[in-house]
């Protein structure tokens, strides 16, 4: 078949190069199919108007509203010294709220003629604040007269679709482009098996596409949405189900710990009892390890819930059963720290083959990229001979040179930093695929776990071990209330005066080359705070040591330091020799200094919700209460401040991860924000559509079990290939 299928036709051919270029660059749309799947964000009814009061700041919005009044002002300016400058101010209303539109200079003539009081139109622009009032400057607009041919045709039906748009391409232009390609929707290949579609009463795909773009009633929109959500959920779950199915076919060596081996000796040494949660999760893991196909388990636990202890016991069980265990950490600081704390917890059990080692002991080695050649050679030797039962390392573990005697278990710490290729490379080190335990301290709502980590079984640790202290968190509005910032440094001094230590976290290091700053006009306060380069470790440390924290021992820690220097700084801090550590987020994961009770996060609005929660988990790790101060210059009304208030209001990571999800768009949650590609979830909302995702997961498992190659479902195969092609990077990165 030489013809390009209608949905794969490039937009260049259909809409012409200029429009196609904007769509590709700004919306990531390249083919007719892409455009058909660019769904309206919402719909306006011609009779009703948008709620102007709810518009988000600094976002590109489209509103349907009525002109209340329009006034032309003249003023003097440098360009028009004789008072000939013109400014048109138009007030639009939705019946309850009002919004100001402003046009300047030669741009005033057309709107002055067209935007007469009583006129209805769609307006698109970026919302900003001027003199404490919301405004749109120079918005694009489209009158809704309902008289000319085209308008009647385009806005047929009472529902006007409002599309996710950009400044370069307004919603109504996207709408017109979609009208052009809509006939091709008839040729859309349906990925859902007929039985599933009929069984759930879902409309066919061509009909759903028609109804989502040209609904006549609200029921049309509902029909289309429920159908399109199912598509996304089901195709994605089939991809994950096939991965689980393939993994379940792999052989593995069952690893059962002996009755009086290393694990028993270790448990006997523990100065405390495991929490119920730790015992329950350990049992799930030990049951998996005892089977003859590889365990694939995700262990999520709040910061400080004792995941490392659970992972260590799993590693000891595998060593007991004659295998080796590897723990992969995202940074050298963390690998060194895990190595230190594991050796401490194991005591003489970590001194295998050494005088004074216990008889069941094994060797615990560290392997990182910056080790000296001799130490590295010894570590590699210990692994290949089986002398070392446990190895802890960074990506260095994945290199070809690294060989194991018998790798039985891989523990990956902080999953979101490792791609699937890296996991597979490490798995390939075993004679047979090793068992896999993935740990994350970023709480993930159940549905996201089913979506992102859908190929893993999930265990959750949600109790904090005894002896953990509560952390009080407060937002410090440095711009509105400078005296709050002064008080912040006094609080740090008080903590140090009481024998404790503090962290100060900054978004960047400060030795980077700065971009030549583009000189710009005065912006809103949000813009001002945004435009200023983020505060840097080196500058802040210098300022504190010479100013508010003069006389205290202040040190810096960041990712570009030599590993030995980093380690030395961490050791001094852990030993209590340093009062205040000014650092980047290198301390985000796993750093454990129980005597550190205060954390000040500068420019806290530059961090994500989960990241702030992770950082905060570094204090309150001992018996003294923790304090976390979130310093920001963002104005009170903005979204950034609401986000910080949410973090200050709760210590529940699962609650925060829901807030995080609701605030960021779904795509970011699935990691697309990092990779810059678009998410395949255009309609599915991971939090709201929990039921659909759970049902799709069951349906997918059934379909894959019955027909793993999907031979009888060509439409589903096509959709799956398209998804994997587009998402291979993202999902399987996550997988």
């Amino acid at each position: 078949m030489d013809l390009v299928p209608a949905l794969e036709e490039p937009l260049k051919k259909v809409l012409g190069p200029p429009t196609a270029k904007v769509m590709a660059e700004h919306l990531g749309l390249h083919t007719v199919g892409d455009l058909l799947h660019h769904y309206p964000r919402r719909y306006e009814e011609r009779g009703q108007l948008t709620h102007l009061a709810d518009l988000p700041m600094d976002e590109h919005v489209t509103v349907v509203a009525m002109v209340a009044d329009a006034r032309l002002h003249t003023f003097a300016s440098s360009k028009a010294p004789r008072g000939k400058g013109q400014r048109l101010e138009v007030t639009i209303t939705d019946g309850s709220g009002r919004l100001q539109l402003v046009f300047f200079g030669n741009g005033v003539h057309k709107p002055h003629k067209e935007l007469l009081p009583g006129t209805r139109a769609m307006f698109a622009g970026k919302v900003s604040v001027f003199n404490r009032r919301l405004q749109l400057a120079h918005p694009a607009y489209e009158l809704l007269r309902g008289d000319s041919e085209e308008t009647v045709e385009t806005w047929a039906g009472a529902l006007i679709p409002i599309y996710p748009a950009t400044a370069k391409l307004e919603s109504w232009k996207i709408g017109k482009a979609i009208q052009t390609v809509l006939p091709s929707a008839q040729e859309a290949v349906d990925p859902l098996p007929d039985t599933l579609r009929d069984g759930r009463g879902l409309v066919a795909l061509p009909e759903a596409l028609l109804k989502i773009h040209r609904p006549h009633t609200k029921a049309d929109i509902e029909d289309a949405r429920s159908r399109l959500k199912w598509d996304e959920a089901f195709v994605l779950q089939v991809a994950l189900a096939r991965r689980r199915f393939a993994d379940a076919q792999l052989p593995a060596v069952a690893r059962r710990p002996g009755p009086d081996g290393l694990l028993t000796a270790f448990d006997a040494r523990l100065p405390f009892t495991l929490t119920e949660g730790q015992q329950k999760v350990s049992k799930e893991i030990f049951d998996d390890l005892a089977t003859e196909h590889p365990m694939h388990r995700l262990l999520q636990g709040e910061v400080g819930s004792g995941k490392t202890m659970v992972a260590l016991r799993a590693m000891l069980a595998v060593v007991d059963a004659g295998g080796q265990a590897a723990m992969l950490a995202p940074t050298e600081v963390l690998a060194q720290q895990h190595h230190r704390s594991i050796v401490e917890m194991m005591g003489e059990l970590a001194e295998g083959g050494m005088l004074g080692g216990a008889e069941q002991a094994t060797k615990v080695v560290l392997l990182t990229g910056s080790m000296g050649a001799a130490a590295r050679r010894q570590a590699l030797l210990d692994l290949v001979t089986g002398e070392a039962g446990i190895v802890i390392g960074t990506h260095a573990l994945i290199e070809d040179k690294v060989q194991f005697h018998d790798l039985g278990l891989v523990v990956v710490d902080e999953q979101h930093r490792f791609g699937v290729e890296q996991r597979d490379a490490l798995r390939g080190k075993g004679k047979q695929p090793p068992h896999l335990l993935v740990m994350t301290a970023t709480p993930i709502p159940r549905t996201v776990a089913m979506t992102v980590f859908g190929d893993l079984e999930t265990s959750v640790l949600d109790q904090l071990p005894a002896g953990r202290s509560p952390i009080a968190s407060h937002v410090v509005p440095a711009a509105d209330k400078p005296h709050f910032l002064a008080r912040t440094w006094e609080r740090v001094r008080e903590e140090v005066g009481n024998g404790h230590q503090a962290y100060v976290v900054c978004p960047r290091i400060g030795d980077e080359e700065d971009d030549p700053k583009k000189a710009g006009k005065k912006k809103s306060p949000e813009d001002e705070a945004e435009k200023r380069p983020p505060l840097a470790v080196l500058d802040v440390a210098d300022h504190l040591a010479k100013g508010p924290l003069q006389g205290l021992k202040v040190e810096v820690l960041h990712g570009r330091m030599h590993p030995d220097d980093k380690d030395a700084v961490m050791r001094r801090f852990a030993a209590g020799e340093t009062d205040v550590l000014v650092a980047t987020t290198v301390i985000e994961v796993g750093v454990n200094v129980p005597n550190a009770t205060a954390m000040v996060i500068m420019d806290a609005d530059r961090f994500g919700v989960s990241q702030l929660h992770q950082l905060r988990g570094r204090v309150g790790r001992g018996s003294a209460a923790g304090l976390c101060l979130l310093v920001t210059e963002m104005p009170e009304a903005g979204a950034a401040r609401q986000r910080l208030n949410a973090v200050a209001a709760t210590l529940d990571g699962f609650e925060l991860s829901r807030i995080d999800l609701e605030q960021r768009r779904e795509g970011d949650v699935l990691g697309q924000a990092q990779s810059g590609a678009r998410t395949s979830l255009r309609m599915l909302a991971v939090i709201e559509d929990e039921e659909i995702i759970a049902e799709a997961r069951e349906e997918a498992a059934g379909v894959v079990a019955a027909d793993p190659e999907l031979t009888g479902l060509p439409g589903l195969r096509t959709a799956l290939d398209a998804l994997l092609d587009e998402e291979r990077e993202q999902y399987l990165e996550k997988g």
Side-chain angles (χ1 to χ4, degrees):
M1 192 167 106
D2 295 329
L3 289 171
V4 176
L7 271 66
E8 287 172 29
E9 191 77 61
L11 288 173
K12 253 205 306 261
K13 281 191 164 165
V14 190
L15 303 174
T19 310
K21 184 168 187 250
V22 177
M23 287 193 169
E25 284 175 9
H26 293 275
L27 297 168
L29 308 174
H30 303 278
T31 65
V32 168
D34 290 345
L35 183 53
L36 286 174
H37 287 295
H38 186 71
Y39 306 131
R41 180 172 284 167
R42 56 191 170 81
Y43 301 83
E44 292 293 358
E45 290 183 68
R46 273 168 61 99
Q48 291 185 339
L49 298 171
T50 322
H51 279 296
L52 296 178
D54 305 339
L55 293 179
M57 278 291 299
D58 267 351
E59 279 203 23
H60 204 81
V61 299
T62 303
V63 297
V64 175
M66 188 165 82
V67 177
D69 79 343
R71 299 180 182 188
L72 194 59
H73 302 272
T74 51
F75 60 92
S77 73
S78 55
K79 287 186 180 161
R82 294 204 189 85
K84 294 257 176 69
Q86 290 191 310
R87 181 173 80 245
L88 175 65
E89 289 179 5
V90 178
T91 307
I92 58 173
T93 177
D94 59 358
S96 59
R98 294 184 155 232
L99 180 64
Q100 186 110 35
L101 314 178
V102 195
F103 301 88
F104 290 102
N106 295 335
V108 304
H109 305 308
K110 186 166 178 269
H112 192 212
K113 285 210 296 277
E114 295 183 332
L115 297 178
L116 304 170
T119 312
R120 277 169 189 252
M122 295 169 79
F123 301 93
K126 193 171 178 184
V127 185
S128 58
V129 172
F130 183 73
N131 284 344
R132 302 201 166 249
R133 306 217 323 255
L134 291 181
Q135 72 163 26
L136 294 181
H138 274 293
Y141 61 89
E142 172 94 343
L143 301 178
L144 295 177
R145 297 194 192 86
D147 51 15
S148 74
E149 274 302 291
E150 182 191 34
T151 320
V152 172
E153 195 40 50
T154 315
W155 311 122
L159 294 163
I160 302 169
I162 304 288
Y163 289 94
T166 75
K168 298 267 191 292
L169 201 63
E170 292 89 17
S171 168
W172 53 87
K173 291 187 181 157
I174 295 172
K176 287 175 184 170
I178 285 175
Q179 297 301 337
T180 311
V181 301
L182 207 48
S184 310
Q186 293 308 327
E187 300 183 37
V189 183
D190 203 322
L192 295 189
D194 297 346
T195 47
L196 188 155
R197 199 176 63 226
D198 301 342
R200 296 192 173 269
L202 299 168
V203 300
L205 183 56
E207 187 185 337
L209 290 170
L210 215 56
K211 284 183 166 174
I212 199 83
H213 293 297
R214 291 194 76 165
H216 291 292
T217 61
K218 289 189 171 163
D220 283 354
I221 300 173
E222 275 317 297
D223 285 354
R225 280 199 167 141
S226 35
R227 162 62 218 244
L228 295 166
K229 282 179 173 184
W230 255 95
D231 271 20
E232 288 174 12
F234 181 70
V235 175
L236 179 53
Q237 291 301 338
V238 167
L240 294 165
R242 290 188 70 191
R243 205 178 155 92
R244 283 196 304 275
F245 183 84
D247 283 343
Q249 310 308 308
L250 297 170
V253 180
R255 310 277 177 175
R256 298 182 187 84
D260 292 315
L262 190 52
L263 182 61
T264 316
F266 176 75
D267 284 348
R269 289 179 50 98
L270 283 181
F272 51 82
T273 48
L274 298 176
T275 62
E276 262 173 62
Q278 285 175 316
Q279 291 173 5
K280 179 177 129 287
V281 170
S282 290
K283 183 181 181 314
E284 292 171 347
I285 291 172
F286 288 162
D287 290 349
D288 281 358
L289 289 173
T291 60
E292 298 200 337
H293 59 86
M295 160 170 87
H296 288 112
R297 192 165 279 283
L298 171 69
L299 169 57
Q300 19 176 152
E302 270 292 8
V303 178
S305 56
K307 291 183 301 297
T308 314
M309 175 58 72
V310 170
L312 176 55
R313 292 183 71 245
M315 296 200 289
L316 295 173
V318 169
V319 175
D320 247 357
Q324 290 169 294
M327 185 179 215
L328 196 54
T331 65
E332 295 212 351
V333 169
L334 201 53
Q336 284 161 343
Q337 184 153 341
H338 275 317
H339 181 254
R340 257 203 307 279
S341 63
I342 284 176
V343 169
E344 267 166 36
M345 283 195 274
M346 288 175 63
E348 70 220 32
L349 297 176
E351 296 170 357
M354 289 152 80
L355 285 171
E359 62 179 298
Q360 302 98 330
T362 185
K363 213 168 175 182
V364 180
V365 302
L366 176 68
L367 189 62
T368 63
S370 64
M371 283 169 70
R376 192 182 165 80
R377 254 200 316 278
Q378 186 57 52
L380 290 172
L381 190 65
D382 288 342
L383 287 180
V384 76
T385 58
E387 188 83 8
I390 295 179
V391 57
I392 294 147
T394 52
H395 290 71
L397 280 178
I398 300 171
E399 293 167 13
D400 296 344
K401 293 199 272 301
V402 181
Q403 292 186 343
F404 291 84
H405 176 65
D406 178 14
L407 180 59
L409 169 67
V410 174
V411 178
V412 179
D413 192 18
E414 287 306 322
Q415 159 62 17
H416 55 283
R417 312 192 174 200
F418 286 104
V420 77
E421 295 78 20
Q422 292 158 324
R423 241 171 50 185
D424 286 346
L426 196 50
R427 275 200 210 153
K429 305 259 180 211
K431 297 194 172 60
Q432 282 193 325
H435 298 282
L436 176 71
L437 179 64
V438 167
M439 302 199 293
T440 175
T442 310
I444 305 169
R446 172 174 161 254
T447 39
V448 182
M450 287 196 293
T451 313
V452 187
F453 298 105
D455 59 335
L456 303 171
E457 299 299 321
T458 308
S459 297
V460 178
L461 267 180
D462 47 14
Q463 275 173 298
L464 287 189
R468 277 310 178 95
S469 304
I471 305 169
S473 307
H474 304 283
V475 177
V476 178
D480 318 351
K481 302 182 176 160
H483 58 285
F484 275 38
L485 186 58
R487 177 75 187 110
T488 297
W489 304 123
E490 284 169 27
R491 280 293 286 119
V492 170
R493 277 187 171 283
E494 285 163 20
E495 289 297 315
V496 173
N498 292 334
H500 296 302
Q501 294 158 280
Y503 296 103
V504 177
V505 181
C506 305
R508 63 185 190 117
I509 298 171
D511 54 1
E512 310 87 343
E513 290 295 306
D514 275 339
D515 297 344
K517 289 286 160 275
K518 300 170 182 65
K521 299 189 215 37
K522 270 280 173 252
K523 294 291 195 326
S524 70
E526 292 243 353
D527 274 355
E528 279 305 301
E530 275 291 340
K531 293 295 169 282
R532 169 175 68 61
L535 290 170
V537 168
L538 302 176
D539 308 341
V540 170
D542 192 47
H543 164 72
L544 292 177
K546 290 178 180 159
L549 300 184
Q550 197 170 5
L552 300 188
K553 181 113 175 53
V554 178
E555 287 212 62
V556 301
L557 178 71
H558 58 74
R560 269 199 240 128
M561 289 164 64
H562 186 280
D564 294 348
D565 297 342
K566 272 194 271 199
D567 202 38
V569 167
M570 266 326 292
R571 277 174 195 273
R572 286 196 292 275
F573 189 65
E577 295 164 23
T578 307
D579 298 321
V580 179
L581 186 62
V582 183
T584 54
T585 53
V586 289
I587 61 155
E588 176 187 354
V589 208
V591 170
N592 186 19
V593 179
N595 190 43
T597 52
M599 173 173 286
V600 180
I601 302 179
M602 307 303 290
D603 279 343
D605 46 88
R606 310 273 176 134
F607 299 97
V609 170
S610 298
Q611 202 174 23
L612 289 169
H613 181 59
Q614 284 277 8
L615 285 165
R616 170 170 65 184
R618 303 297 121 221
V619 294
R621 299 178 79 88
S623 52
L627 172 69
C628 178
L629 299 172
L630 306 165
V631 179
T632 177
E633 292 188 3
M634 286 300 178
E636 199 164 345
R641 275 284 279 282
Q642 288 167 358
R643 211 171 61 224
L644 295 179
N645 292 339
V647 174
T650 176
L651 290 172
D652 177 345
F654 284 93
E655 175 55 30
L656 285 174
S657 67
R658 288 184 84 92
I659 293 170
D660 198 12
L661 255 178
E662 281 154 15
Q663 291 208 338
R664 300 169 10 178
R665 300 267 152 70
E666 237 66 53
D668 305 357
V669 175
L670 305 183
Q672 271 66 352
Q674 286 80 346
S675 66
R678 7 185 252 294
T679 163
S680 69
L681 301 188
R682 298 183 177 86
M683 187 59 81
L684 196 66
V686 175
I687 290 277
E688 290 152 34
D689 299 321
E690 185 157 344
E691 278 169 35
I692 295 182
I693 293 172
E695 289 172 17
R697 185 178 163 111
E698 272 178 40
E699 292 271 9
V703 166
V704 170
D707 179 5
E709 290 304 307
L710 308 179
T711 27
L713 298 166
L716 178 56
R717 281 202 70 117
T718 310
L720 198 60
D721 291 344
L723 171 80
L724 291 182
D725 208 42
E726 180 178 335
E727 301 293 301
R728 175 157 278 127
E729 300 309 307
Q730 292 98 297
Y731 279 110
L732 302 182
E733 279 282 292
K734 297 271 159 257

